[in-house]
Amino acid sequence: MGFGRNSCMRSSGDSLDGMLNDYVGGKNKMKSQKSGSTKFVAALTCLQFFFAVYATFLLYYMGPSIDLRTSPDFTWATRIAQQWKQLMITPHVVGHYQQASSSSSSSSSSSSSSLIKEGFQPINPSLVCENEKIDFMQKKSNDVQMIKLKRELYNEVLDFQSKNFGTETLAELMAMKSKWDLHGPKKPKITVLLNHFKRKTLCAQIDSLLQQTLPFYHVWVLSFGSPNELSLKRIVESYNDSRISFISSSYDFKYYGRFQMALQTEADLVYIVDDDMIPGKKMLQILAHVAGTEKYKNSVLGSIGRILPFRQKDFTFPSYRKFRSKEAGLYLPDPAYDITIHKIVQVDFLSSSWFLSAELVKTLFIETPFTFSTGEDLHLSYQLQKYRNAGSYVLPVDPKDKETWGDSEHRLAYVSETTVIFKDIVQVRDDQWWKALSTGYVTQWAAMHPQKVDALFYAHTVDEVKALAPLLEKFRYTVGKKAYIVVSGGNFCPCENAAAALKWPMLVCKERRFKIFDLALGALSGVSNSEVPVVQAVYSSMKGLIKIHNPSVVITAADIDPNVKKALKMASETNSNGTTLVLLPRASVSKVLWMADLRSTALPNWNKMQISINIITQNRVNSLARLLKSLTNAYYLGDEVPITFNMDSKVDEATIKLLGSLEWPHGPKTLRRRIIQGGLIRAVSESWYPSSDDDFGLLLEDDIEVSPYYYLWIKYALLAYHYDPQVSLPELSSISLYTPRIVEVVKERPKWNATEFFRPIHPNTPYLHQLPCSWGAVFFPKHWREFYVYMNMRFTENAKENPVQIPKSRTNGWQASWKKFLIDMMYLRGYVSLYPNFPNQASFSTNHMEPGAHISAKDNVVKHNKQDFEVPLLKEDFRNFLPGMKMPPASKLPSLNLFNQPLSLKGLKAAGAKLGQDVLRCNNVTELVTVDHHTGLPQSCTKF
């Protein structure tokens, strides 16, 4: 162009210069022709002026800033400039993105009219549109077995969903109330995003969208790194519709780019469509209506979805592309197996199209995706469920009306490239969905097959993994028990480091089998000085894992990061089936291996009990100091244990000072002092009263000393025999810490050795005894209320006036003894206490038999042999001595009567009924007094 213009100008100049040279160089000649030359020069000057004006107009209208479609018509100049501009000026692409200007779009109609007036017609879509060639039939399987397996699984899924939350046909969905008035003022704004790369379907998609029964608000055609960018742009321009915009970039934003663009919309709803989907003309109307219903407003809707793999018989999960496998999951709808969607179905993720509120789109970007190369479909559904509790649904269709289909030509899925056919992509997607399931994604398999595990361990650091390892291994190797470990992952504690700490093979971090779950916390938190990302990630993932596996307990270290602790607590509380967070001090982990021997039904009650220590003291400060030292050094498993001191009015100064300065590290401390001396009977019986049915009272006199393991014995026994719903032992009223060496209620007080007595059964079996213990015992709330009422009704200063006289019992003559009244009540009603039984009669408490209100110094020397009462304290894990290293079943516990004679629980009740001296007179020897356990008041006689 430039060369042509210069040569023309050059030739014109040469002619003019020649003429001027001739004129200047030949004056004589010109003089002779003066009149003729003057006329010639004047004409030439006019010609030059005319040419300059023409050139000025021409160059102005050829400038890139002038839009000839809207400029005034200068006929011939305009037409010539248009032709030259087509040849000289090329379009300019701005940066990474190129979007049609809204101002130019809005003037498209007037531009078109102007062009028609000028004789220039706009580009017709028919001239630039291309169509995919589909020269094959829809694939159909002839594998009878696979058809059967797939349809069976589909029917199972649909049946489960129908029973649990209901499924609707298309007609039923359209009959539901929706917040969108599709024909009135509340019509929703819908932005449609069409993502294109290679397929030749854009015209078909736009044609369908232009004919929708519910008009769209905007259509954004996206071209990221597409080799067909120019042709796609020409197609969009050919439609000449201001609502349809073209957005392109030379950089390929892959599968997440369209969702990033969706964040920019001002519409109410977003419809993101792949280039292999041609929606029917009623699709927007159907989608918008369903999205406006109360049931599905918090959902993502689509036309194609997938249900992820189910667990196989070997407890592993197959690839989602495994052939001839029912457990590989479902692709819905699946024409190959003749599966059509006649009722809405919840799926694990959607493919090819997504319809959701614009607000929900941002959820996709809460966590960094597993990969940006693929899997945006799964990541969207996973994130929506995890952070919005939103489901993913494939809508049903009317098989007779293709306009209700979101995928009117399914064969397009088999045209051009697709991510599901490449082996490496399949592996990546398998890793991705397994990672999602391992971090709390409740898939359809998980919903249909709720798991039940005994414990989920959580470790935030490798050191915590090592600390929890002994208990984790005990659970894993106990028959019938199931436990997994969850680690934080990322920079905190990756799976590989945890496996190494546990001495597990690295394969556990790769195989698709439940064993260890890596939360990959860095995916959310990254580099952050805030605790919020960690709390959010731990909470949301653990909430899902707890929902899937229904653990009885979540076990972690007591000194775990406080924010993580909060997240674990919140996650545990979300489980309606009951999951308890157990915080174990690291030093106690090896001491509670018996947890794995408890039933899964008992474990959730771990934190339910409240055991309080109640000490009766007055003036034995050295004894009290010894007791406090032993109590302080015991294992409390991180439980809060309140301590109360009951001082009589004659308490000495040293005792008051000791208790005033005491720092009790395991809970609140309370001091109580009487104004008027009450004596031992009141001091003990009034030292504690239960505040609830889970409040248990440990009563100790100050000359008692306890074993470091005493609290573990109490907790284990309560969980095994009181808090296990599968155990019925209403006769159990207390748990003794002490093992007696004599038969206390017989006049001769003969020596007795439980180890030798029970040797035929097991030398160290715990046993039930009708005798309550006053030298260290935990009393149950319901029975203690009974005791209060009973004692109030039967107390007399003169023991001989007591109407209860147990045959051959030396307790009949006891004076001022609270224990005498408790013995009477237990005998009359058939109650028992649980006693320990270990070698050398080692116990969890001992009585040092020091002078006090009950045992005077003189009497101690004459009537009490210290060796008969003082027993060794257990200094090692008692679990090693139990039968089979665990508490025996309640039905296997032997029982003794008041006189240390073997007698069944029923026999004990029969003896009490026969005596017939309770506060209510029962006429039948097979009846006992029953009470209101909330008040302790006797109600009636009931057969036992």
Side-chain angles (χ1 to χ4, degrees), residues 145-161 303-311 318-341 343 345-351 377-378 394 410 420 429 433 443-445 448-449:
Q145 182 181 1
M146 277 303 298
I147 294 173
K148 179 175 179 292
L149 291 175
K150 293 293 184 182
R151 291 201 62 82
E152 280 181 356
L153 182 57
Y154 174 62
N155 290 333
E156 289 173 13
V157 170
L158 204 60
D159 184 58
F160 169 80
Q161 294 184 7
S303 302
I304 297 176
R306 184 175 283 279
I307 290 177
L308 288 168
F310 282 40
R311 191 165 63 178
S319 168
Y320 78 105
R321 296 286 292 174
K322 184 178 180 181
F323 184 61
R324 294 182 69 84
S325 170
K326 179 179 179 179
E327 291 80 11
L330 290 170
Y331 176 76
L332 299 173
D334 199 336
Y337 300 107
D338 199 26
I339 297 177
T340 57
I341 308 300
K343 285 189 173 183
V345 58
Q346 185 171 8
V347 294
D348 294 322
F349 65 90
L350 297 167
S351 297
D377 42 13
L378 172 60
V394 173
H410 193 77
V420 300
R429 289 176 72 87
W433 70 255
T443 64
Q444 295 309 301
W445 167 82
M448 294 171 64
H449 302 278

Coordinates of all heavy atoms in Angstrom, one line a residue, residues 145-161 303-311 318-341 343 345-351 377-378 394 410 420 429 433 443-445 448-449:
Q145 N -24.3 -58.6 31.6 CA -23.9 -58.5 33.0 C -23.7 -57.1 33.4 O -24.2 -56.7 34.5 CB -22.7 -59.3 33.3 CG -22.3 -59.3 34.7 CD -21.0 -60.1 35.0 OE1 -20.4 -60.6 34.0 NE2 -20.6 -60.2 36.2
M146 N -23.1 -56.3 32.6 CA -22.8 -54.9 33.0 C -24.1 -54.1 33.0 O -24.3 -53.3 33.9 CB -21.8 -54.3 32.0 CG -20.4 -54.6 32.4 SD -19.9 -54.0 34.0 CE -20.2 -52.3 34.0
I147 N -25.0 -54.4 32.1 CA -26.3 -53.7 32.1 C -27.0 -54.0 33.4 O -27.6 -53.1 34.0 CB -27.1 -54.1 30.9 CG1 -26.4 -53.6 29.6 CG2 -28.5 -53.5 31.0 CD1 -27.1 -54.1 28.3
K148 N -27.0 -55.2 33.8 CA -27.6 -55.6 35.0 C -27.0 -55.0 36.2 O -27.7 -54.4 37.1 CB -27.5 -57.2 35.2 CG -28.2 -57.7 36.4 CD -28.1 -59.3 36.4 CE -28.7 -59.9 37.6 NZ -27.9 -59.6 38.8
L149 N -25.7 -55.0 36.3 CA -25.0 -54.4 37.5 C -25.3 -52.9 37.6 O -25.5 -52.4 38.7 CB -23.5 -54.6 37.4 CG -23.0 -56.1 37.5 CD1 -21.5 -56.2 37.3 CD2 -23.4 -56.6 38.9
K150 N -25.2 -52.2 36.4 CA -25.3 -50.7 36.5 C -26.8 -50.4 36.8 O -27.0 -49.4 37.6 CB -25.0 -50.1 35.1 CG -23.5 -50.2 34.7 CD -22.7 -49.4 35.7 CE -21.2 -49.4 35.2 NZ -20.4 -48.6 36.1
R151 N -27.7 -51.1 36.3 CA -29.1 -50.7 36.6 C -29.5 -51.1 38.0 O -30.2 -50.4 38.7 CB -30.0 -51.5 35.6 CG -29.9 -50.9 34.2 CD -31.2 -51.3 33.3 NE -32.4 -50.7 33.9 CZ -32.7 -49.4 33.7 NH1 -32.0 -48.6 32.9 NH2 -33.9 -48.9 34.2
E152 N -28.9 -52.2 38.5 CA -29.1 -52.5 39.9 C -28.6 -51.4 40.8 O -29.3 -51.0 41.8 CB -28.4 -53.9 40.3 CG -29.1 -55.1 39.8 CD -28.4 -56.4 40.2 OE1 -27.3 -56.2 40.7 OE2 -28.9 -57.5 40.0
L153 N -27.4 -51.0 40.6 CA -26.8 -49.9 41.4 C -27.7 -48.6 41.3 O -27.9 -48.0 42.3 CB -25.4 -49.7 41.0 CG -24.6 -48.6 41.8 CD1 -24.7 -49.0 43.3 CD2 -23.2 -48.4 41.3
Y154 N -28.1 -48.3 40.1 CA -28.9 -47.1 39.9 C -30.2 -47.2 40.7 O -30.6 -46.2 41.4 CB -29.2 -46.8 38.4 CG -30.1 -45.7 38.2 CD1 -29.8 -44.4 38.6 CD2 -31.4 -45.9 37.6 CE1 -30.7 -43.4 38.3 CE2 -32.2 -44.9 37.3 CZ -31.9 -43.6 37.7 OH -32.8 -42.6 37.5
N155 N -30.8 -48.3 40.6 CA -32.1 -48.5 41.4 C -31.9 -48.5 42.9 O -32.7 -48.0 43.6 CB -32.7 -49.9 41.0 CG -33.2 -49.9 39.5 OD1 -33.6 -48.8 39.0 ND2 -33.3 -51.0 38.9
E156 N -30.7 -49.0 43.3 CA -30.4 -48.9 44.8 C -30.2 -47.5 45.2 O -30.7 -47.1 46.3 CB -29.1 -49.7 45.1 CG -29.3 -51.2 44.9 CD -27.9 -51.9 45.1 OE1 -26.9 -51.3 45.5 OE2 -27.9 -53.1 44.7
V157 N -29.5 -46.7 44.4 CA -29.3 -45.3 44.7 C -30.6 -44.6 44.8 O -30.9 -43.8 45.7 CB -28.4 -44.7 43.7 CG1 -28.3 -43.1 43.9 CG2 -27.0 -45.2 43.8
L158 N -31.4 -44.8 43.8 CA -32.7 -44.0 43.7 C -33.7 -44.5 44.8 O -34.4 -43.6 45.4 CB -33.4 -44.3 42.3 CG -34.4 -43.3 41.8 CD1 -33.7 -41.9 41.7 CD2 -35.0 -43.7 40.5
D159 N -33.6 -45.7 45.1 CA -34.5 -46.2 46.2 C -34.1 -45.6 47.5 O -34.9 -45.2 48.3 CB -34.4 -47.7 46.3 CG -35.4 -48.3 47.3 OD1 -36.6 -48.1 47.2 OD2 -34.9 -49.0 48.2
F160 N -32.8 -45.6 47.8 CA -32.3 -45.0 49.0 C -32.7 -43.5 49.1 O -33.1 -43.0 50.2 CB -30.8 -45.1 49.1 CG -30.1 -44.3 50.2 CD1 -30.1 -44.8 51.5 CD2 -29.5 -43.1 49.9 CE1 -29.5 -44.0 52.5 CE2 -28.9 -42.3 50.9 CZ -28.9 -42.8 52.2
Q161 N -32.5 -42.8 48.1 CA -32.8 -41.3 48.1 C -34.3 -41.1 48.2 O -34.7 -40.2 48.9 CB -32.2 -40.7 46.8 CG -30.7 -40.7 46.8 CD -30.1 -39.9 45.6 OE1 -30.8 -39.3 44.8 NE2 -28.8 -40.1 45.4
S303 N -27.3 -31.6 34.1 CA -27.9 -32.7 33.3 C -27.1 -34.0 33.2 O -27.6 -35.0 32.8 CB -28.1 -32.1 31.9 OG -28.9 -30.9 31.9
I304 N -25.8 -33.9 33.6 CA -25.0 -35.1 33.6 C -24.2 -35.1 34.9 O -23.7 -34.1 35.4 CB -24.0 -35.1 32.5 CG1 -24.7 -35.1 31.1 CG2 -23.0 -36.3 32.5 CD1 -23.8 -35.0 29.9
G305 N -24.1 -36.3 35.5 CA -23.4 -36.4 36.8 C -22.8 -37.8 37.0 O -23.0 -38.7 36.2
R306 N -22.0 -37.9 38.0 CA -21.4 -39.1 38.3 C -21.5 -39.5 39.8 O -21.4 -38.6 40.7 CB -19.9 -39.1 37.9 CG -19.2 -40.4 38.1 CD -17.8 -40.4 37.6 NE -17.7 -40.5 36.1 CZ -17.8 -41.6 35.4 NH1 -18.0 -42.8 36.1 NH2 -17.7 -41.6 34.1
I307 N -21.7 -40.7 40.1 CA -21.7 -41.3 41.4 C -20.4 -42.0 41.6 O -20.1 -42.9 40.8 CB -22.9 -42.2 41.7 CG1 -24.2 -41.3 41.8 CG2 -22.7 -43.0 43.0 CD1 -25.4 -42.1 42.0
L308 N -19.6 -41.6 42.6 CA -18.2 -42.1 42.7 C -18.2 -43.6 43.2 O -19.3 -44.1 43.7 CB -17.5 -41.2 43.7 CG -17.1 -39.9 43.1 CD1 -16.6 -38.9 44.2 CD2 -16.0 -40.0 42.1
P309 N -17.1 -44.2 43.2 CA -17.0 -45.7 43.5 C -17.5 -46.0 44.9 O -17.4 -45.3 45.8 CB -15.5 -46.0 43.3 CG -15.0 -45.0 42.3 CD -15.8 -43.8 42.6
F310 N -18.0 -47.3 45.0 CA -18.4 -47.9 46.3 C -17.2 -48.8 46.7 O -16.4 -49.2 46.0 CB -19.6 -48.7 46.1 CG -20.9 -47.9 46.0 CD1 -20.9 -46.7 45.3 CD2 -22.0 -48.3 46.6 CE1 -22.1 -46.0 45.2 CE2 -23.2 -47.6 46.5 CZ -23.3 -46.4 45.8
R311 N -17.2 -49.1 48.0 CA -16.2 -49.9 48.6 C -16.3 -51.4 48.1 O -17.5 -51.9 48.1 CB -16.1 -49.8 50.1 CG -14.9 -50.5 50.7 CD -14.6 -50.1 52.1 NE -15.7 -50.5 53.0 CZ -15.7 -50.3 54.3 NH1 -14.8 -49.6 54.9 NH2 -16.7 -50.7 55.0
P318 N -12.2 -49.1 44.0 CA -11.7 -49.2 42.7 C -11.6 -47.8 42.0 O -12.1 -46.8 42.5 CB -12.7 -50.1 42.0 CG -14.0 -49.7 42.6 CD -13.7 -49.4 44.0
S319 N -11.0 -47.8 40.8 CA -11.0 -46.6 40.0 C -12.4 -46.4 39.4 O -13.1 -47.3 39.2 CB -10.0 -46.8 38.8 OG -10.2 -45.8 37.8
Y320 N -12.7 -45.1 39.2 CA -14.0 -44.8 38.7 C -14.2 -45.3 37.3 O -15.3 -45.3 36.7 CB -14.3 -43.3 38.9 CG -13.7 -42.4 37.9 CD1 -14.4 -41.9 36.8 CD2 -12.3 -42.1 37.9 CE1 -13.8 -41.0 35.9 CE2 -11.7 -41.3 37.0 CZ -12.4 -40.8 36.0 OH -11.8 -40.0 35.1
R321 N -13.1 -45.6 36.6 CA -13.1 -46.1 35.3 C -12.9 -47.6 35.2 O -12.7 -48.2 34.1 CB -12.0 -45.4 34.4 CG -12.2 -43.9 34.3 CD -13.3 -43.5 33.4 NE -13.1 -43.9 32.0 CZ -13.9 -43.8 31.0 NH1 -15.1 -43.3 31.2 NH2 -13.6 -44.1 29.8
K322 N -13.0 -48.3 36.3 CA -12.8 -49.8 36.3 C -13.9 -50.5 35.5 O -15.1 -50.2 35.7 CB -12.7 -50.3 37.7 CG -12.4 -51.8 37.8 CD -12.4 -52.3 39.2 CE -12.1 -53.8 39.2 NZ -12.0 -54.3 40.6
F323 N -13.5 -51.3 34.6 CA -14.4 -52.0 33.7 C -15.0 -53.2 34.4 O -14.4 -53.9 35.2 CB -13.7 -52.4 32.4 CG -14.6 -53.0 31.4 CD1 -15.7 -52.3 30.8 CD2 -14.4 -54.3 31.0 CE1 -16.5 -52.9 29.9 CE2 -15.3 -54.9 30.0 CZ -16.3 -54.2 29.5
R324 N -16.3 -53.4 34.0 CA -17.0 -54.6 34.6 C -17.1 -54.6 36.1 O -16.8 -55.7 36.7 CB -16.5 -55.9 34.0 CG -16.7 -56.1 32.5 CD -16.2 -57.4 32.0 NE -17.0 -58.5 32.5 CZ -18.1 -58.9 31.9 NH1 -18.5 -58.3 30.8 NH2 -18.8 -59.9 32.4
S325 N -17.3 -53.5 36.7 CA -17.3 -53.4 38.1 C -18.5 -52.6 38.6 O -18.7 -51.4 38.2 CB -16.0 -52.8 38.7 OG -16.2 -52.5 40.0
K326 N -19.4 -53.2 39.4 CA -20.5 -52.4 39.9 C -20.0 -51.4 40.9 O -20.6 -50.3 40.9 CB -21.4 -53.4 40.7 CG -22.6 -52.8 41.3 CD -23.5 -53.8 42.0 CE -24.7 -53.2 42.7 NZ -25.6 -54.2 43.3
E327 N -18.9 -51.6 41.6 CA -18.4 -50.7 42.6 C -17.8 -49.5 42.0 O -17.4 -48.5 42.7 CB -17.4 -51.4 43.5 CG -18.1 -52.4 44.5 CD -18.3 -53.7 43.8 OE1 -17.8 -53.9 42.6 OE2 -19.0 -54.6 44.4
A328 N -17.6 -49.5 40.6 CA -16.9 -48.3 40.0 C -17.8 -47.1 40.0 O -17.4 -46.0 39.6 CB -16.5 -48.7 38.6
G329 N -19.1 -47.2 40.3 CA -20.0 -46.1 40.4 C -20.8 -46.0 39.1 O -20.9 -46.9 38.3
L330 N -21.4 -44.8 38.9 CA -22.4 -44.6 37.8 C -22.1 -43.3 37.1 O -21.7 -42.3 37.7 CB -23.8 -44.6 38.4 CG -24.4 -45.9 38.9 CD1 -25.7 -45.6 39.6 CD2 -24.6 -46.9 37.8
Y331 N -22.4 -43.3 35.8 CA -22.4 -42.1 35.0 C -23.8 -41.9 34.6 O -24.5 -42.8 34.1 CB -21.5 -42.3 33.8 CG -21.5 -41.2 32.8 CD1 -20.8 -40.0 33.0 CD2 -22.2 -41.3 31.6 CE1 -20.8 -39.0 32.1 CE2 -22.2 -40.3 30.6 CZ -21.5 -39.1 30.9 OH -21.5 -38.1 30.0
L332 N -24.4 -40.8 35.0 CA -25.9 -40.5 34.8 C -26.2 -39.3 34.0 O -25.6 -38.2 34.3 CB -26.5 -40.4 36.1 CG -26.4 -41.7 37.1 CD1 -27.0 -41.3 38.4 CD2 -27.1 -42.9 36.5
P333 N -27.1 -39.4 33.0 CA -27.7 -40.6 32.5 C -26.6 -41.3 31.6 O -25.6 -40.8 31.2 CB -28.8 -40.0 31.6 CG -28.3 -38.7 31.2 CD -27.5 -38.1 32.3
D334 N -26.9 -42.6 31.4 CA -25.9 -43.4 30.7 C -26.7 -44.1 29.5 O -27.2 -45.2 29.8 CB -25.3 -44.4 31.6 CG -24.0 -44.9 31.0 OD1 -23.9 -44.9 29.7 OD2 -23.1 -45.4 31.7
P335 N -26.7 -43.5 28.3 CA -27.4 -44.2 27.2 C -26.8 -45.5 26.9 O -27.5 -46.4 26.4 CB -27.2 -43.2 26.1 CG -26.9 -41.9 26.7 CD -26.1 -42.2 28.0
A336 N -25.5 -45.7 27.2 CA -24.9 -47.0 26.9 C -25.6 -48.2 27.6 O -25.7 -49.3 27.1 CB -23.4 -47.0 27.2
Y337 N -26.1 -47.9 28.8 CA -26.8 -48.9 29.6 C -28.3 -48.6 29.7 O -28.9 -49.2 30.6 CB -26.1 -49.0 31.0 CG -24.7 -49.4 30.9 CD1 -23.7 -48.5 31.2 CD2 -24.3 -50.7 30.6 CE1 -22.3 -48.8 31.1 CE2 -22.9 -51.0 30.5 CZ -22.0 -50.1 30.8 OH -20.6 -50.4 30.7
D338 N -28.7 -47.8 28.8 CA -30.2 -47.4 28.8 C -30.7 -46.9 30.1 O -31.8 -47.2 30.6 CB -31.0 -48.7 28.3 CG -32.3 -48.3 27.8 OD1 -32.5 -47.1 27.3 OD2 -33.3 -49.1 27.9
I339 N -29.9 -46.0 30.8 CA -30.3 -45.4 32.0 C -30.6 -44.0 31.7 O -29.8 -43.2 31.4 CB -29.2 -45.5 33.1 CG1 -28.8 -46.9 33.4 CG2 -29.6 -44.7 34.3 CD1 -27.7 -47.1 34.4
T340 N -31.9 -43.6 31.9 CA -32.4 -42.3 31.8 C -32.8 -41.8 33.1 O -33.2 -42.6 34.0 CB -33.5 -42.2 30.7 OG1 -34.6 -43.0 31.2 CG2 -33.1 -42.6 29.4
I341 N -32.9 -40.5 33.3 CA -33.2 -39.9 34.6 C -34.7 -39.5 34.6 O -35.0 -38.5 33.9 CB -32.3 -38.7 34.9 CG1 -30.8 -39.1 34.7 CG2 -32.6 -38.2 36.3 CD1 -30.4 -40.2 35.7
K343 N -36.4 -39.3 37.6 CA -36.5 -38.6 38.9 C -35.2 -37.9 39.2 O -34.2 -38.4 38.9 CB -36.9 -39.5 40.0 CG -38.4 -40.0 40.0 CD -38.7 -40.8 41.2 CE -40.2 -41.1 41.3 NZ -40.6 -41.8 42.5
V345 N -32.0 -36.9 40.9 CA -31.1 -37.8 41.6 C -29.8 -37.0 42.1 O -29.3 -36.2 41.4 CB -30.6 -39.0 40.7 CG1 -30.0 -38.5 39.5 CG2 -29.7 -39.9 41.5
Q346 N -29.5 -37.2 43.4 CA -28.3 -36.6 43.9 C -27.1 -37.4 43.5 O -27.1 -38.6 43.5 CB -28.4 -36.5 45.4 CG -27.2 -35.7 46.0 CD -27.3 -35.4 47.5 OE1 -28.3 -35.9 48.1 NE2 -26.5 -34.6 48.0
V347 N -26.1 -36.6 43.0 CA -24.8 -37.3 42.5 C -23.7 -36.7 43.3 O -23.8 -35.8 44.1 CB -24.6 -37.0 41.0 CG1 -25.7 -37.8 40.2 CG2 -24.7 -35.6 40.7
D348 N -22.5 -37.3 43.1 CA -21.3 -36.8 43.7 C -20.6 -35.6 43.1 O -20.0 -34.8 43.7 CB -20.3 -38.0 43.9 CG -20.8 -39.0 44.8 OD1 -21.4 -38.7 45.8 OD2 -20.6 -40.2 44.5
F349 N -20.8 -35.5 41.8 CA -20.4 -34.3 41.1 C -21.1 -34.3 39.7 O -21.5 -35.3 39.2 CB -18.9 -34.1 40.9 CG -18.2 -35.2 40.1 CD1 -18.1 -35.0 38.7 CD2 -17.7 -36.3 40.6 CE1 -17.4 -35.9 37.9 CE2 -17.1 -37.3 39.8 CZ -16.9 -37.0 38.5
L350 N -21.2 -33.1 39.2 CA -21.8 -32.8 37.9 C -20.8 -32.7 36.8 O -19.7 -32.2 37.1 CB -22.7 -31.6 37.9 CG -23.9 -31.7 38.9 CD1 -24.5 -30.3 39.0 CD2 -25.0 -32.6 38.3
S351 N -21.1 -32.9 35.6 CA -20.2 -32.8 34.5 C -20.9 -32.0 33.3 O -22.1 -32.1 33.2 CB -19.8 -34.1 33.9 OG -19.1 -34.9 34.8
D377 N -15.0 -30.1 38.2 CA -16.4 -30.5 38.5 C -16.5 -31.2 39.9 O -17.5 -30.8 40.6 CB -16.9 -31.5 37.4 CG -15.8 -32.5 37.0 OD1 -14.7 -32.6 37.8 OD2 -15.9 -33.2 36.0
L378 N -15.6 -32.1 40.2 CA -15.6 -32.7 41.5 C -15.3 -31.7 42.6 O -16.0 -31.6 43.7 CB -14.6 -33.8 41.6 CG -14.4 -34.5 43.0 CD1 -15.7 -35.0 43.5 CD2 -13.3 -35.5 42.9
V394 N -28.8 -34.1 39.4 CA -29.1 -34.2 38.0 C -30.6 -34.2 37.8 O -31.3 -34.9 38.5 CB -28.6 -35.6 37.4 CG1 -29.1 -35.7 35.9 CG2 -27.0 -35.6 37.4
H410 N -26.2 -36.2 23.0 CA -25.2 -36.8 23.9 C -24.0 -37.3 23.1 O -22.9 -37.4 23.7 CB -25.8 -38.0 24.7 CG -24.9 -38.5 25.8 ND1 -24.8 -37.8 27.0 CD2 -24.1 -39.5 25.9 CE1 -23.9 -38.4 27.8 NE2 -23.5 -39.5 27.2
V420 N -11.6 -37.8 30.0 CA -11.8 -39.1 30.6 C -11.1 -40.3 29.9 O -11.2 -41.4 30.4 CB -13.3 -39.5 30.8 CG1 -14.0 -38.4 31.6 CG2 -14.0 -39.6 29.4
R429 N -7.7 -37.9 38.4 CA -9.0 -37.8 38.9 C -9.3 -38.8 40.0 O -10.0 -38.6 41.0 CB -10.0 -37.9 37.8 CG -10.0 -36.7 36.9 CD -10.9 -36.8 35.7 NE -12.3 -36.7 36.0 CZ -13.0 -35.6 36.1 NH1 -12.4 -34.5 35.9 NH2 -14.3 -35.6 36.4
W433 N -10.6 -37.7 43.7 CA -11.8 -38.0 44.5 C -11.5 -38.8 45.7 O -12.2 -38.7 46.7 CB -12.8 -38.8 43.6 CG -12.5 -40.2 43.2 CD1 -12.1 -40.6 41.9 CD2 -12.6 -41.4 44.0 NE1 -11.9 -42.0 41.9 CE2 -12.2 -42.5 43.1 CE3 -13.0 -41.6 45.3 CZ2 -12.2 -43.8 43.6 CZ3 -13.0 -43.0 45.7 CH2 -12.6 -44.0 44.9
T443 N -19.9 -39.0 50.1 CA -20.3 -39.4 48.8 C -21.6 -40.2 48.9 O -22.1 -40.5 50.0 CB -19.3 -40.3 48.1 OG1 -19.1 -41.5 48.9 CG2 -17.9 -39.5 48.0
Q444 N -22.2 -40.6 47.8 CA -23.4 -41.4 47.9 C -23.2 -42.7 48.5 O -24.0 -43.2 49.2 CB -24.0 -41.6 46.4 CG -24.5 -40.3 45.8 CD -25.4 -39.5 46.7 OE1 -26.4 -39.9 47.1 NE2 -24.9 -38.2 47.0
W445 N -22.0 -43.3 48.3 CA -21.7 -44.5 49.0 C -21.7 -44.3 50.5 O -22.2 -45.1 51.3 CB -20.3 -45.0 48.6 CG -19.8 -46.1 49.5 CD1 -20.1 -47.4 49.4 CD2 -18.9 -46.0 50.6 NE1 -19.5 -48.1 50.5 CE2 -18.8 -47.2 51.2 CE3 -18.3 -44.9 51.2 CZ2 -18.0 -47.4 52.4 CZ3 -17.5 -45.1 52.4 CH2 -17.4 -46.3 52.9
M448 N -25.2 -43.9 51.8 CA -26.0 -45.2 51.8 C -25.4 -46.2 52.7 O -26.1 -47.1 53.1 CB -26.0 -45.7 50.3 CG -26.7 -44.9 49.3 SD -26.5 -45.4 47.6 CE -27.3 -47.0 47.7
H449 N -24.1 -46.1 53.0 CA -23.5 -47.2 53.9 C -22.7 -46.5 55.0 O -21.5 -46.5 55.0 CB -22.5 -48.0 53.0 CG -23.2 -48.7 51.9 ND1 -23.9 -49.9 52.0 CD2 -23.3 -48.3 50.6 CE1 -24.3 -50.3 50.8 NE2 -24.0 -49.3 49.9

